[in-house]
Amino acid sequence: MPQPNDLSRSLVALDQNSTIIAVVELSHSSWLVGGIVPGIERQPRKKLEPNPERLLALLHRWQDEAVRAGSTITRIAVAFEAGRDGFWLARWLEARGVETHVIHASSVAVSREHRRAKTDRLDTELLKRGFLGWLRGERGHCSMARVPTIAEEDAKRPNRERDCLVGERTRIVNRIKSTLARLGIRTFKPTLRKAADRLATVHTPEGMPLPPNTLAELQRDMARLGLVVSQIRQIEEARQKRLEQQHETGPHAMVRLLARIVGVGVETADMLVHEVLSRPMRDRRAVARYAGLTGSPDESGAQRREQGLARAGNARVRRGMIQLAWRFLMFQKESALTLWYRARTADSRRGTRKTMIVALARKLIIALWRFVTTGEPLEGVVLRPAT
């Protein structure tokens, strides 16, 4: 499948006389398929139930109609927007010989009028125009997402599930603390090992035991907290077992290599490898863009200003890299990147530090990418002994 970073080299010249072009607007209850069929003046549009077999049958029916109209079909190109359905449909169609592309939803230009009409039919026409321009090799119409394999998608699940569970743990702990604070109790720590057993002995400042309904609610919250904590532990133990058993394979070797850097834990290393570092990237600019650490300049005539981060790319990687950049300053004080940061924040202004930490995160993700892919050493960085 063509890669989005090499459009000029990978795209085949578009011959609309021998190519069926189709776009699919995916929704929960139905799929709307719009097409351009050689030899047929009308541009067909068909609403289907969410069924890949029906979609494939429709494409073959359009192919038969084009052949009967005197056209020779050598290519069927299908596109749909990236969304909740993920990439399974692209893999399913590719396995059956249909060229399939997944469009970045945010890359399609839309009207900026205040109240524009939006229907599946209009969205399909918009996608069709963008996809047609992309197939012709014209820049600016839209961009395509790389379709991962099932194994690549599955490798991301433990880290993402743990991230959700950690957020759930925080919400439960805060809810328990808020419930107790309403009764004037601020010394109870829900995260302690025997906290659930101590609930019955907790008293209010007036010397009263916890009210029965409140106690029952807290006991349920503590049971829920214990379940979440045990699930987090299971994920971490399973990941450690995989690293020990498959330490020579590509992604696992990258995780072990990153975890040797003082200040980088296994959790951060696992997230970075499976979210960005194991992906095929063209160059350092592509790495920074995917990590969401590039700026969004605003220039018009003599006016020039920086609007901050573009908010594009992978938000999970962006948040992780900002946190890692601050941690890197603490644990790698003599590294070249830390010295670079200190030289540019010597004025101690808070605004300068916040701006430059993003620049440090961008330089750091590029340095880590080169470290795990080409073996380029990190200047001045302290590594743990290899195990």
Side-chain angles (χ1 to χ4, degrees):
M1 176 176 296
Q3 294 298 321
N5 293 330
D6 292 316
L7 299 186
S8 59
R9 293 189 293 271
S10 63
L11 286 179
V12 180
L14 177 61
D15 181 5
Q16 287 188 245
N17 293 323
S18 62
T19 304
I20 292 178
I21 299 171
V23 296
V24 187
E25 178 68 21
L26 304 178
S27 64
H28 177 69
S29 58
S30 64
W31 292 352
L32 183 61
V33 188
I36 301 176
V37 182
I40 299 177
E41 184 176 353
R42 65 180 177 87
Q43 294 188 2
R45 188 168 55 247
K46 181 70 173 178
K47 179 169 284 190
L48 305 173
E49 63 184 46
N51 188 323
E53 297 286 354
R54 294 283 303 276
L55 174 60
L56 187 61
L58 177 64
L59 295 175
H60 288 163
R61 194 185 79 192
W62 286 352
Q63 184 178 16
D64 295 338
E65 291 179 7
V67 171
R68 287 196 298 269
S71 300
T72 302
I73 301 302
T74 60
R75 183 185 185 191
I76 300 177
V78 178
F80 60 90
E81 276 187 318
R84 191 199 67 167
D85 287 86
F87 300 95
W88 72 268
L89 181 58
R91 290 191 292 262
W92 192 90
L93 290 173
E94 283 284 342
R96 285 151 182 82
V98 178
E99 177 187 336
T100 312
H101 305 274
V102 182
I103 302 174
H104 275 295
S106 59
S107 69
V108 181
V110 298
S111 172
R112 299 177 66 182
E113 296 177 78
H114 180 58
R115 289 196 178 208
R116 67 181 183 91
K118 185 185 184 304
T119 64
D120 286 346
R121 179 183 62 82
L122 293 175
D123 288 346
T124 301
E125 294 299 320
L126 185 64
L127 289 179
K128 193 188 301 180
R129 288 194 296 271
F131 185 40
L132 189 60
W134 185 85
L135 288 172
R136 288 195 298 260
E138 300 173 5
R139 293 180 177 272
H141 285 277
C142 61
S143 60
M144 299 296 171
R146 174 180 172 270
V147 178
T149 64
I150 294 181
E152 290 173 338
E153 281 197 298
D154 189 61
K156 297 178 182 180
R157 298 318 308 167
N159 185 273
R160 295 188 176 189
E161 182 188 3
R162 183 187 180 279
D163 196 28
C164 292
L165 289 174
V166 169
E168 180 65 21
R169 180 182 64 186
T170 302
R171 284 189 291 273
I172 295 174
V173 169
N174 290 341
R175 188 164 60 245
I176 292 173
K177 289 183 177 180
S178 298
T179 301
L180 292 172
R182 285 195 295 270
L183 299 174
I185 301 170
R186 298 182 179 274
T187 58
F188 185 79
K189 296 183 178 180
T191 54
L192 295 179
R193 182 176 300 177
K194 296 184 178 181
D197 300 332
R198 291 188 55 244
L199 270 178
T201 63
V202 174
H203 289 75
T204 66
E206 296 91 344
M208 301 287 293
L210 294 176
N213 291 335
T214 302
L215 178 60
E217 177 187 353
L218 291 174
Q219 288 174 339
R220 286 189 290 268
D221 280 339
M222 290 300 300
R224 193 177 297 116
L225 177 62
L227 175 63
V228 171
V229 170
S230 66
Q231 289 179 343
I232 293 174
R233 191 180 303 114
Q234 291 172 10
I235 293 173
E236 293 174 346
E237 291 174 354
R239 180 184 56 210
Q240 188 63 35
K241 186 178 298 184
R242 285 194 303 271
L243 289 176
E244 293 173 356
Q245 294 176 350
Q246 307 172 16
H247 61 277
E248 296 298 332
T249 60
H252 297 296
M254 288 183 178
V255 172
R256 294 172 66 90
L257 186 60
L258 279 185
R260 289 187 57 199
I261 301 174
V262 175
V264 179
V266 176
E267 185 63 36
T268 301
D270 184 72
M271 183 272 293
L272 290 177
V273 167
H274 290 111
E275 294 288 347
V276 60
L277 298 181
S278 61
R279 294 171 61 92
M281 293 290 185
R282 183 184 66 238
D283 54 23
R284 60 186 179 85
R285 291 184 177 86
V287 175
R289 274 197 305 271
Y290 184 80
L293 294 171
T294 53
S296 52
D298 182 11
E299 296 185 6
S300 178
Q303 177 185 354
R304 287 174 172 81
R305 66 188 182 95
E306 183 62 48
Q307 301 179 110
L309 290 179
R311 298 296 179 184
N314 191 315
R316 192 183 305 272
V317 176
R318 180 173 62 247
R319 292 192 299 267
M321 283 308 304
I322 296 295
Q323 295 171 6
L324 178 59
W326 288 114
R327 205 159 62 240
F328 194 81
L329 296 176
M330 296 173 55
F331 289 95
Q332 300 288 348
K333 296 183 178 181
E334 301 304 321
S335 66
L337 287 177
T338 300
L339 298 178
W340 174 89
Y341 174 85
R342 288 179 180 171
R344 284 156 178 79
T345 56
D347 57 5
S348 300
R349 291 168 53 190
R350 182 177 180 182
T352 304
R353 294 175 68 242
K354 288 181 65 177
T355 301
M356 295 308 299
I357 200 66
V358 176
L360 175 62
R362 182 168 56 247
K363 283 181 170 290
L364 182 57
I365 188 64
I366 293 171
L368 295 178
W369 172 66
R370 289 171 171 166
F371 179 58
V372 299
T373 55
T374 66
E376 182 177 326
L378 300 169
E379 185 178 350
V381 171
V382 181
L383 301 178
R384 300 184 181 92
T387 56

